[in-house]
Amino acid sequence: MANPEHTRAPLRVNRSFRILWTGQFAAQLGPGMGAVAYPVILLDLGGTPALTGSVTFLLGVAAVAARLPAGAAADRFDRRALMIAAQGTRMLAMAVLCAGLFTGATWMLWLVVVVALVDVVGHEAYRFAERAALRHIVRPGDLSAAVGRNEARNQVASLVGPVLGGWLMAASRALPFGAAALGHAFAAFGLLFVKERLQDPRTPRGSGGGGRHHTWTEAFTWIWARPELRVLLLSCVTPNLVITGVVLTVVMVGAEAGVGTGQIGTVLGVASLGGICGALGASALLRRFSSRTLVLAALWWLPVTVVVAIPLVDHWTVVFPLAGAMAAAPLLSIILGTYQLLNTPDRLQARVGSACTFVTGVAAPLGPLAAGFGLQFAGTPPLFLGFTLLMSVVAVWVSLDPSTRRLSSLPASPDRSPGTPPDQAPPSAKEVS
């Protein structure tokens, strides 16, 4: 069973939570630096915007494809060992790339792609194990705040990473990857000091019904039975696509215009302040406004930010609409993540979490692909208008969906009354308000 609540410290003094938070922050700097480093290196090696977008699309597909196996692994195997193995593998991959960049060999483009693939797969393996372990180190009443702090951590890494990566690249193309290797090593080492058991005892394989097919479908069946969860998933799908496409467009436009990597990274980093504000303010907003109001406000706000960015994409002032868009995305993620954590039984935690992020991320690789080909063959205004139209359609759809009306509030605790099956549908908004 999960650690009893009375043995867990409040979040502000929870040592294990701080260790996980700090270690993953160090590791998250790698993807933040890669947001600048990978496109710039690919362009330096002779790649076109379409090729750069295609490679980014490939990485996104690999990340999405890794999510379901990663979730299943986190529910089946020891989560601590899985997280250490994931960070150790990423560390080795980054060290190899760092060394390879000093050789200047012609096969470097392929090495960059392979290392980036290892990195995204390792990231997926780690994050679902960490997410599922969260209920075992923080109290149920602290879950919403913990999810918010983790989202804020990711946003801070998205701020610092591009800035750090851009300026390190200005000194040496290899430095961002060396720094990423150190971050992964730090995260793996910190896990040795987390004392709590990170999962409930597992039933031996074969003792329960279902088999392998049941293992893969059970999470989706559980999700499908919950209309509120389905509408939250839909709300997160398109923002992931649009924001990744817009960010890659800003990087490529800046690189083609001769803007230095330090300046490009700084723009992306400062824009991430919006994401930090959205993540840190989510708990306070959820106390003051209904989940339904916040979801609809975020979905209608996003197309406005994309339209405003059209004339600014080649100027530093694009940071303002980018920050606005990045403020809305973590709010949607926190509402979804809190709802999922509070309602999912532990034996399904990682699988349902990975299934949710599989659904929300399945369209995200199309953003960079659209950005690469759209920028090369159509230009920025038609590309961004297409993004705006897509976001507007989703906002209308969610606004009219009857399930959205049941999102007036989130359940406050995963605890259930005696005799209530853990897989029962979560309470509706009327039942928890």
Side-chain angles (χ1 to χ4, degrees), residues 21 127 149 202 205 232 235 273 276 301 305:
W21 194 98
R127 70 171 177 143
R149 291 191 187 185
R202 293 292 179 254
R205 283 175 62 85
L232 287 173
S235 300
L273 284 171
I276 295 171
W301 170 247
T305 63

Side-chain angles (χ1 to χ4, degrees), residues 18-39:
R18 289 202 305 267
I19 291 173
L20 283 179
W21 194 98
T22 306
Q24 181 62 349
F25 173 74
Q28 279 290 96
L29 290 175
M33 291 186 286
V36 175
Y38 288 130

